[in-house]
Amino acid sequence: MKVVTRFAPSPTGMLHIGGARTALFNYLFAKHHGGKFLLRVEDTDKARSTDEATRAILDGMNWLGLHADEDIVFQSKNVDRHIECAQQMIANGTAFKCYATPEELQARRDAGEEKRKAAKAEGLSDAERDALLAEADDLLAPYRSPWRDGGDPPGSDAPYTIRLRAPDDEEIVVSDHVQGTVTLKTREIDDLILLRADGTPTYMLAVVVDDHDMGVTHVIRGDDHFRNTFRQLPIYRAMQWPVPEFAHVPMIHGSDGAKLSKRHGALSTLAYQDMGYLPEAMNSYLIRLGWSHGDQEVFTMEEAASVFDLDGINKAPGRLDLEKLGDVNAHFIRNIDEARLLALLGPEIEKITPLTSALTERVQHAIPTLKERGQTLPELAESCRFLWDSNAENLNKKARKALREDGIKRLSELREALDGADSWTIEALQGVLDSYCAAHTLSMGQVGPPLRAALTGGLPAPDLAPVMYWLGRDEVLARIDNHLPA
């Protein structure tokens, strides 16, 4: 059996990070088994589906590199096939026309709630209360239509839905790769609607037909769909189709264990791109958010695909930890190709200052050192600020102290030594500093502060020799001159 998985988002909003993780698990499982990963956009809800949401989902998938192995399937284009299957079930007696109106169904629910409310009244005997609760349970139980075994319609033009005839008093057993073996009595399942009164298919029908027609062998999805599985399995049986294997993945919670919401951090996958996270870091973090393989914490996609299995998925919900995500992102920033990092960093710097050719060259020289100084691209861009900003108008307290009388004297002498440097390399500049210290019997702790204050104004920066090399001779001398008496 060739493994085929699918990710099937509804285009009613952004690609949630929980959805991104589900897509990732499907992708990795397919790749691990040399199978196919498919993408289906479930856009049958025309009232809520939008082109903008579809684009956002596809953009999120592309950013993460989760590319489908075949053309994207749009569920709305399969409506005729869904209807055909419903008609086939009518023909074989596993589905039927139901003439119950929405008003009748609502009246049934209302009557059930009234019975429950009446059972709470004072002065009732235990027998009376039990009788009312039993009546309420009957009225609120999963709906079994009076037309399930046939019957005349209330009129020749009476509207109707097509319902699946739920199995009678049996058990449905689901052997789930994550949740384990779970059994449900079929009396807890309703005669679910396959086609609405307007002839349009429901989600329950469409998803089963599409999964079958796409050859899906493993349905890996959120555990909020777990109960749907018990309602969908009778459709497979009614159509005499093979049943895929299931793995229902727990949801992602916030750090406090509560259901994930905006207060825990961004929900949209693309928001993390905007926040300066790398796609490979996001994938690595999401892989470990509810799945494990030994003690390994960070994975490339290739590493994960080589070992990913469903047995490694945890049964408990994963918890979003932005600090951990930052650590993972920092790891990938440190190991990224520097040309790619420069290309990614450029737009972040542009948000702060124009990226001239001279500045680009400085950043390019500094990247090997500075990439250790940020967990995200905006943080990294900020750590480069001293490359274009001497901060002369906003000296911090430490910088102002360093540029008092003794500091200015040393700075003036250093300026002369630097101006006379034969070579402007990191090694040569470090030699100038060392020679100056030796000649004046000073330590770098006495010489460095005024020079650093003049060059960076107190902005965070690494060692002085690399800083001067990145800035270039003219810029270094100009920044020093800015603090010397005219």
Side-chain angles (χ1 to χ4, degrees), residues 449-468:
L451 180 58
R452 182 177 294 277
L455 297 179
T456 71
L459 292 173
D463 293 343
L464 286 170
V467 167
M468 289 190 289

Side-chain angles (χ1 to χ4, degrees), residues 361-412:
E361 185 176 355
R362 290 179 194 172
V363 175
Q364 189 171 12
H365 286 309
I367 278 292
T369 300
L370 295 184
K371 65 182 181 181
E372 305 277 347
R373 291 174 167 253
Q375 288 192 329
T376 64
L377 294 174
E379 285 183 12
L380 194 56
E382 189 59 38
S383 74
C384 294
R385 181 179 286 273
F386 70 91
L387 293 174
W388 66 82
D389 185 1
S390 68
N391 207 36
E393 305 301 321
N394 191 34
L395 298 177
N396 63 21
K397 183 177 180 180
K398 186 176 181 180
R400 290 196 302 272
K401 182 179 179 181
L403 290 171
R404 290 175 183 169
E405 187 173 338
D406 287 347
I408 292 296
K409 178 177 180 296
R410 290 169 187 158
L411 190 61
S412 178

Side-chain angles (χ1 to χ4, degrees), residues 277-286 299 325 328-330 332-333:
Y277 293 96
L278 304 181
E280 55 266 50
M282 199 69 197
N283 281 328
S284 181
Y285 177 72
L286 290 176
F299 290 83
L325 174 58
V328 173
N329 202 56
F332 281 94
I333 284 178

